[in-house]
Amino acid sequence: MTKPTGRRRAAALTVPLILLGAFGASSREPLLYVSNEIPNTISVVSPRTNAVIATVPVGKRPRGMALSPDRRTVYIALGQDDALGVVDVASGQMTSTIPANRDPELVVLSPDGKVAYVSNEEVAHASAIDIASGKTLFSTPVGVEPEGVGITRDGTKLYVTAETNNTVSVLDAKTGRLLKTLHVGDNPRTVALTPDGTRAWVSAEAGGNVTVIDIATDSVLAQFPIRDGKTKPVRIAFSPDGRIAYLTEGAAASVSVVDVARQAVIDSIVVGRRPWGIALSPDGGRLYTADGRSNSVSVIDTKTRKVIAAVPVGERPNDLLYIP
């Protein structure tokens, strides 16, 4: 396995120079980043045209991504490089890597953007990395096969799923101290906080359900099924007003539409094969899924709940990141 060196390196874009203006912050053109696990690239999609406008070479096995608060930098978990790739949005280049301990899978940032938190799947840890120095602030044992990771709006607590243990570990985000362990559905994948910051939703792939956690008390409030419980829900996106949740369902090649207040599925949308990553435009009008076995991104009109485009991307797309 290749070990990170922390060296700076630039990656050339496979795109004509005339398109580079699309990356600049001053252009205000939105972008959709797609991490492709097999070719080790990021596909850059224009939400205006629903077409790939650039391909960014990155490190080995890119999966989860996080955007800095100023929207200038994207951090990508490079699972086989044991690192975070650092991509400059304006230039469309990966400029450096930051050591992120063994096998990082998903990543979130502290509210101020100074600390990256990653789930280290292979070693069953969750780690905090100081972005400026590259120093590991803590690496805490959690359950086996950690994946989903979420942070509270005030940056005080971290939530990490463990697929094998069927648990969520609650950590002090400053010290890494384990505060609580919660039992959830089987094979939990994702932790997503509601827009108001009061609840955490945890999708259980094998369990076919969602567990709702109260952030104030770190207690389980409810658990409800996603359709017949066999669609294998993975990742979650909430509408801006918090009234609707969308869940990708790998086995069913669909997205479930959930009424948050009722905690009930109200619709489903057929997309490509094995949908995984999910992203929503800031206005809630467009929903995107990374269809891992179709090697494409489905573009959905949320008003009609219909797929309006399928964008070919790299092989095995995993995560999506919308950059306004």
Side-chain angles (χ1 to χ4, degrees), residues 227 231 247-256 268-272 274-275 289:
R227 295 203 280 163
T231 61
L247 285 82
T248 53
E249 301 168 319
S254 61
V255 174
S256 270
S268 63
I269 305 164
V270 176
V271 293
R274 210 214 77 173
T289 64

Side-chain angles (χ1 to χ4, degrees), residues 2-317:
T2 302
K3 299 297 180 183
T5 63
R7 67 185 183 280
R8 298 185 67 83
R9 65 180 189 143
L13 277 172
T14 57
V15 62
L17 290 177
I18 192 171
L19 292 179
L20 290 178
F23 294 89
S26 61
S27 69
R28 297 188 180 179
E29 287 292 321
L31 301 170
L32 182 73
Y33 271 32
V34 187
S35 60
N36 303 307
E37 288 192 65
I38 301 302
N40 301 323
T41 60
I42 300 297
S43 293
V44 183
V45 175
S46 167
R48 306 286 193 204
T49 63
N50 292 327
V52 173
I53 59 172
T55 300
V56 183
V58 292
K60 295 179 181 178
R61 201 182 181 195
R63 291 179 287 184
M65 298 181 286
L67 180 65
S68 64
D70 63 9
R71 302 176 183 173
R72 296 178 181 272
T73 308
V74 172
Y75 300 92
I76 306 164
L78 304 175
Q80 292 182 1
D81 282 343
D82 300 345
L84 294 176
V86 181
V87 174
D88 176 70
V89 175
S91 68
Q93 294 182 341
M94 191 175 84
T95 58
S96 64
T97 58
I98 302 171
N101 296 324
R102 190 74 171 268
D103 190 26
E105 179 154 1
L106 296 185
V107 55
V108 296
L109 300 183
S110 58
D112 62 9
K114 295 181 179 180
V115 179
Y117 299 93
V118 301
S119 52
N120 299 109
E121 184 175 28
E122 189 173 320
V123 294
H125 275 225
S127 301
I129 296 99
D130 181 82
I131 288 173
S133 67
K135 178 183 177 182
T136 297
L137 302 175
F138 65 75
S139 186
T140 299
V142 290
V144 178
E145 289 188 286
E147 180 169 337
V149 58
I151 191 165
T152 54
R153 292 199 302 180
D154 62 5
T156 61
K157 291 189 292 186
L158 196 69
Y159 296 80
V160 185
T161 67
E163 296 178 50
T164 299
N165 293 73
N166 304 328
T167 59
V168 170
S169 296
V170 185
L171 306 182
D172 184 303
K174 301 299 181 185
T175 66
R177 181 171 64 91
L178 179 65
L179 301 175
K180 200 167 187 178
T181 301
L182 301 171
H183 289 275
V184 292
D186 292 348
N187 194 207
R189 288 288 193 178
T190 297
V191 179
L193 271 70
T194 55
D196 64 7
T198 65
R199 303 285 187 266
W201 281 31
V202 181
S203 62
E205 187 175 31
N209 55 41
V210 168
T211 299
V212 181
I213 297 170
D214 180 80
I215 295 298
T217 62
D218 290 327
S219 58
V220 172
L221 295 178
Q223 188 176 92
F224 64 93
I226 299 301
R227 295 203 280 163
D228 62 1
K230 299 178 181 179
T231 61
K232 298 190 181 300
V234 185
R235 294 187 187 163
I236 304 168
F238 289 100
S239 62
D241 61 10
R243 298 173 64 182
I244 297 292
Y246 303 94
L247 285 82
T248 53
E249 301 168 319
S254 61
V255 174
S256 270
V257 183
V258 178
D259 183 300
V260 171
R262 291 167 50 201
Q263 297 178 359
V265 175
I266 58 175
D267 205 350
S268 63
I269 305 164
V270 176
V271 293
R273 294 165 52 211
R274 210 214 77 173
W276 198 261
I278 192 166
L280 195 63
S281 62
D283 64 2
R286 293 290 182 268
L287 181 71
Y288 304 86
T289 64
D291 304 330
R293 296 296 182 184
S294 296
N295 300 329
S296 62
V297 169
S298 292
V299 184
I300 300 162
D301 183 316
T302 58
K303 289 183 179 179
T304 63
R305 296 176 184 160
K306 301 292 184 182
V307 173
I308 59 173
V311 184
V313 292
E315 189 176 356
R316 202 72 62 82

